Amino acid sequence: AGGSNYYGAMPRGKRFTRHLGLRTVRTIDQVMRFFPGDKLGFGGGQPFNMILDWTHEALTGRYRVTGDAADYDHDLAQLNVPVLMVSLQGDTLVPRPSADKVDGPHALYF
C-alpha cells in the first residue's frame, strides 16, 4: 500500500510531470477502455473502471468508486483507528508529502 497518488501532494518539482503522466494514463484508458500497462511498462493490464477511480483520486485528491454514491472521503474521516504509515527516504512513488496526505491524526512515522 502507499500514500495518496494525488499529484498536488507531490513535491513541487514533480507535480507537473505527475499531472501529465496521470492525464496520459487516463486518456489511454478512455480510448482503449482498459489500460495496457503490461505493454507500456507501468502497472500491468488494468480494467477500465479501476484506472478511472485511480486517476480520479490522483487528479482530485478525493476517493470515489465508479457507480457508487458513497462519500468515501467523509467515511474515511470518521474512522478513528491507528495508522502505521512508513515513508522511506528517496521513495519517488510515495514521497513523504504523499504519505502525509493520508496519515490521519494517529499516524506513526519511523
Side-chain angles (χ1 to χ4, degrees), residues 1-29:
S4 172
N5 192 42
Y6 176 50
Y7 83 95
M10 297 298 290
R12 283 195 194 277
K14 297 183 184 250
R15 289 180 191 168
F16 177 75
T17 303
R18 175 66 62 99
H19 188 267
L20 183 61
L22 291 165
R23 289 284 179 195
T24 301
V25 167
R26 183 166 242 205
T27 299
I28 292 168
D29 186 53

Side-chain angles (χ1 to χ4, degrees), residues 6-110:
Y6 176 50
Y7 83 95
M10 297 298 290
R12 283 195 194 277
K14 297 183 184 250
R15 289 180 191 168
F16 177 75
T17 303
R18 175 66 62 99
H19 188 267
L20 183 61
L22 291 165
R23 289 284 179 195
T24 301
V25 167
R26 183 166 242 205
T27 299
I28 292 168
D29 186 53
Q30 289 176 320
V31 167
M32 299 192 71
R33 307 307 282 179
F34 77 102
F35 184 72
D38 50 340
K39 307 270 191 275
L40 301 174
F42 171 75
Q46 300 295 333
F48 177 68
N49 283 350
M50 197 284 298
I51 292 296
L52 281 183
D53 296 345
W54 181 77
T55 56
H56 177 80
E57 188 277 329
L59 292 167
T60 68
R62 296 188 44 84
Y63 293 99
R64 119 178 143 201
V65 175
T66 300
D68 189 343
D71 184 344
Y72 289 98
D73 292 303
H74 175 267
D75 294 345
L76 287 168
Q78 302 307 307
L79 289 177
N80 188 18
V81 296
V83 173
L84 172 61
M85 177 62 75
V86 177
S87 180
L88 302 175
Q89 186 175 358
D91 186 342
T92 58
L93 296 177
V94 185
R96 179 69 187 259
S98 295
D100 290 344
K101 176 142 175 46
V102 295
D103 69 2
H106 304 289
L108 303 171
Y109 285 93
F110 296 96

